[in-house]
Amino acid sequence: MKFERLNLNRREVLKAAAAVGVTSSLGLSGCSEAEPQQQAPVLQGAIGKDGQRVPPWSNWSGNQVSEPNERLVPRDTDELSGMIAKAKQGIRLVGAGHSFSPLVPTNESLMSLAYFNGITHIDKAAKQFEVAANTFLASAGEPLWQEGLSLINMPDINTQTFGGAIATSTHGTGATLGSMSTNVIGMSLVNGQGEVVHCSQDNNTELFQAARNNIGALGAVTGMKIQAKDKYYLQETSWMMDLQEGLEQAEALRDKHRHFELYALPHADYIMGITLDEVDEQALSQPQESSGDAYETFKTLSKVIDAVPFMKRFIINAGASTVSKEMRSGRNYEVFGNIRDIRFNEMEYSVPAEYGVKCLTEILDIIKKQNINVIFPIEVRYIKGDDIWLSPFYQRDSCAISCHNFHDKDYKKYFAAIEPIFLKYDGRPHWGKIHSLTAKEQSARYPKFDEFLRVRAAMDPRALFANAHIKNVLGLS
Ligand SMILES: Cc1cc2nc3c(=O)[nH]c(=O)nc-3n(C[C@H](O)[C@H](O)[C@H](O)COP(=O)(O)OP(=O)(O)OC[C@H]3O[C@@H](n4cnc5c(N)ncnc54)[C@H](O)[C@@H]3O)c2cc1C
């Protein structure tokens, strides 16, 4: 999400709200008709083997929590292999905990590969590098740049680990660009028997097709080799359009730019377009004054609207009409990486690229029709099809539509209303985001689902790496 680009700051939103006469009656700290805020359960932590409490775990947004009875942090591959070989209970790997779906929660062993960290080798000639699995995406930009290289594409934050990002086919946007998993050319894992296994395009190829979207079900990924490209600068342009104009232009803009995405404003008549293209260093635009934390602005706007929900369309339109065109540029990894301080929950489905605009239009319609209490913009991105067995982009160029609500707002009614629309358009959910599909529906979406299950059974015959959610989405008993 890129609301920092929205030149909608708190002052302007309040100005817009004042213009319609609502601010005087508001205590913006909270009197509202909104649903009660969700209370996170208070977890004590399970009692571990040594009689001490084990720290409970929570993901980034707080919608997933668990009480593992053990935390494992192996220091190297030998120790990791030993822990897995001797394991008497389930193990779930955790990266940065940025998944919204229950991929990580366990009340057994929670394992972090925190010591498996850093870029271990750079091959400048081949434009490839090797990275330990728990390295944060943010740590790769600078060292690669110093060697004249960069990642081919990135998601809109950089606080995931490589291991976690690859496990769920994490992606950015760009019709000619695949997910991060498509740039992986080799991987090393420790399987459920504690054995080290390598795979690549030429070696152990079935495992390679499964491992590049493994949802943590094949074993512990210790490192990977990634194809990069020559370092590059990006120029980003964002601007607000009339909704109809934006929907009509979406595919042409997608085809014209290296990266293109849309942010549609629920209940409103505006849509924001963002393009990113490579530029020479000499063409970098002058830095602009920051437009402030737009997430915070939207949070404020949300409180205004909670108090006068019948005015939401008017208020959002008034705010959106103040947004001006913005440009910024710089090293690609600085432009891609956004800071996310305001937490949210998210559902994302990928539909065939040609259905993207239609699907988005139906979602916007149902939000209006059912008067769903959401103002969080909907993000629309394009991703090139690939050949990875459980990739949401398997054999089809895709349009990923991401719907969010603030972490303290109820997302269930919203997501329940829109999920049937995604399914109607043959959508495949992001494995790391909220969805309700079980193995029955997932298997119908992935032609190579059974092949994945076969590789999983060979890698982890004791199903050590399967928590309740993995059993549910893969159909394991
Ligand atoms: C603010 C925010 C923005 C986001 N933006 C995007 C985006 O732009 N594009 C996008 O596609 N997604 C996005 N996501 C989703 C996120 O990229 C994925 O959920 C990703 O999988 C999270 O990586 P992580 O390191 O946090 O892993 P976790 O969430 O901790 O784990 C994810 C999965 O990886 C497994 N895993 C982790 N490490 C290992 C390992 N070493 N070996 C084996 N398995 C492992 C875990 O068991 C789990 O199944 C976003 C999420 C948030 C919270």
Side-chain angles (χ1 to χ4, degrees):
M1 298 288 315
K2 289 194 176 66
F3 297 134
E4 297 86 271
R5 317 292 182 277
L6 280 176
N7 196 14
L8 247 179
N9 59 37
R10 179 191 288 259
R11 185 175 46 80
E12 282 166 328
V13 170
L14 294 180
K15 208 169 69 187
V20 296
V22 296
T23 48
S24 58
S25 61
L26 291 177
L28 289 184
S29 56
C31 65
S32 80
E33 295 174 12
E35 61 270 26
Q37 296 199 348
Q38 295 177 348
Q39 293 295 325
V42 179
L43 299 184
Q44 303 274 314
I47 305 289
K49 277 187 238 157
D50 57 2
Q52 300 293 312
R53 285 204 184 273
V54 179
W57 176 85
S58 161
N59 69 342
W60 176 83
S61 74
N63 76 319
Q64 301 296 339
V65 291
S66 73
E67 293 182 297
N69 64 16
E70 181 178 49
R71 288 209 177 218
L72 300 173
V73 192
R75 286 178 176 265
D76 55 31
T77 307
D78 284 347
E79 195 180 0
L80 168 63
S81 295
M83 283 175 173
I84 293 176
K86 284 188 224 128
K88 301 247 176 327
Q89 62 173 8
I91 300 174
R92 278 310 281 166
L93 269 299
V94 62
H98 274 50
S99 296
F100 302 94
S101 61
L103 282 175
V104 171
T106 178
N107 54 15
E108 299 180 316
S109 303
L110 184 65
M111 177 182 275
S112 161
L113 298 194
Y115 289 104
F116 293 69
N117 184 23
I119 292 183
T120 51
H121 179 68
I122 298 180
D123 179 342
K124 276 174 83 163
K127 299 175 190 166
Q128 295 170 352
F129 69 99
E130 290 168 34
V131 65
N134 211 69
T135 310
F136 290 93
L137 304 186
S139 321
E142 179 66 24
L144 288 178
W145 189 271
Q146 293 311 326
E147 298 297 326
L149 300 177
S150 287
L151 292 172
I152 293 171
N153 198 4
M154 287 185 77
D156 60 18
I157 57 158
N158 55 21
T159 45
Q160 307 96 323
T161 62
F162 278 89
I166 299 314
T168 65
S169 288
T170 289
H171 62 88
T173 189
T176 60
L177 304 168
S179 76
M180 291 199 69
S181 298
T182 61
N183 305 133
V184 174
I185 51 179
M187 291 175 80
S188 302
L189 299 90
V190 176
N191 68 17
Q193 281 110 316
E195 299 158 345
V196 177
V197 192
H198 304 285
C199 62
S200 70
Q201 287 157 321
D202 312 314
N203 167 36
N204 229 340
T205 53
E206 294 216 319
L207 175 58
F208 186 60
Q209 294 301 68
R212 286 184 296 157
N213 186 123
N214 61 68
I215 55 173
L218 303 182
V221 176
T222 54
M224 61 197 81
K225 191 175 193 178
I226 295 186
Q227 184 65 53
K229 71 181 240 90
D230 289 327
K231 67 180 188 183
Y232 56 103
Y233 293 92
L234 284 175
Q235 167 81 57
E236 182 186 86
T237 308
S238 59
W239 74 104
M240 198 62 90
M241 290 175 272
D242 167 74
L243 176 62
Q244 275 316 315
E245 180 199 345
L247 295 174
E248 279 161 27
Q249 287 191 14
E251 292 182 359
L253 288 163
R254 170 198 71 190
D255 296 340
K256 190 169 164 205
H257 296 277
R258 187 174 195 261
H259 311 264
F260 169 66
E261 63 187 310
L262 284 173
Y263 287 96
L265 306 183
H267 299 289
D269 304 315
Y270 287 92
I271 196 163
M272 170 170 266
I274 300 179
T275 60
L276 292 95
D277 289 291
E278 283 187 44
V279 281
D280 293 337
E281 190 176 2
Q282 298 74 19
L284 295 182
S285 56
Q286 292 300 313
Q288 289 190 331
E289 197 191 328
S290 163
S291 52
D293 180 358
Y295 267 34
E296 207 186 312
T297 304
F298 266 88
K299 192 87 177 122
T300 307
L301 192 57
S302 168
K303 285 176 182 163
V304 173
I305 288 167
D306 281 347
V308 280
F310 57 93
M311 294 185 78
K312 64 169 91 64
R313 180 173 171 211
F314 191 80
I315 294 171
I316 301 168
N317 280 343
S321 65
T322 69
V323 174
S324 49
K325 183 173 171 178
E326 264 193 40
M327 293 174 83
R328 60 176 197 137
S329 56
R331 294 181 181 183
N332 64 82
Y333 61 89
E334 292 168 348
V335 176
F336 284 133
N338 294 290
I339 310 290
R340 297 284 175 256
D341 287 336
I342 300 288
R343 285 177 293 148
F344 54 81
N345 285 306
E346 182 172 346
M347 166 177 277
E348 175 186 304
Y349 270 74
S350 288
V351 300
E354 61 275 21
Y355 297 143
V357 169
K358 256 175 125 176
C359 183
L360 172 66
T361 307
E362 280 193 38
I363 289 170
L364 291 169
D365 285 349
I366 207 161
I367 290 172
K368 271 191 192 160
K369 206 159 135 202
Q370 296 191 7
N371 197 16
I372 295 172
N373 184 15
V374 60
I375 67 156
F376 212 112
I378 298 173
E379 186 176 19
V380 179
R381 294 179 280 184
Y382 290 95
I383 302 101
K384 187 174 158 53
D386 61 41
D387 61 350
I388 301 168
W389 288 350
L390 289 195
S391 159
F393 322 112
Y394 182 75
Q395 290 191 340
R396 67 187 201 197
D397 293 342
S398 301
C399 175
I401 302 180
S402 312
C403 299
H404 318 69
N405 213 347
F406 297 109
H407 78 102
D408 53 0
K409 294 247 174 210
D410 181 21
Y411 58 79
K412 292 191 178 125
K413 180 177 171 219
Y414 177 29
F415 292 174
I418 60 175
E419 199 171 27
I421 301 174
F422 285 130
L423 300 180
K424 178 175 138 191
Y425 286 104
D426 197 19
R428 295 175 181 152
H430 190 303
W431 291 96
K433 301 186 184 178
I434 295 162
H435 68 87
S436 71
L437 302 196
T438 64
K440 185 164 172 267
E441 295 100 9
Q442 290 286 35
S443 60
R445 287 172 157 66
Y446 292 97
K448 297 286 188 183
F449 196 82
D450 289 344
E451 281 83 343
F452 182 91
L453 293 184
R454 192 166 37 75
V455 168
R456 193 217 63 77
M459 285 290 284
D460 183 23
R462 293 189 289 159
L464 272 185
F465 299 104
N467 65 1
H469 180 69
I470 293 292
K471 287 181 182 159
N472 191 32
V473 293
L474 294 183
L476 311 178
S477 48

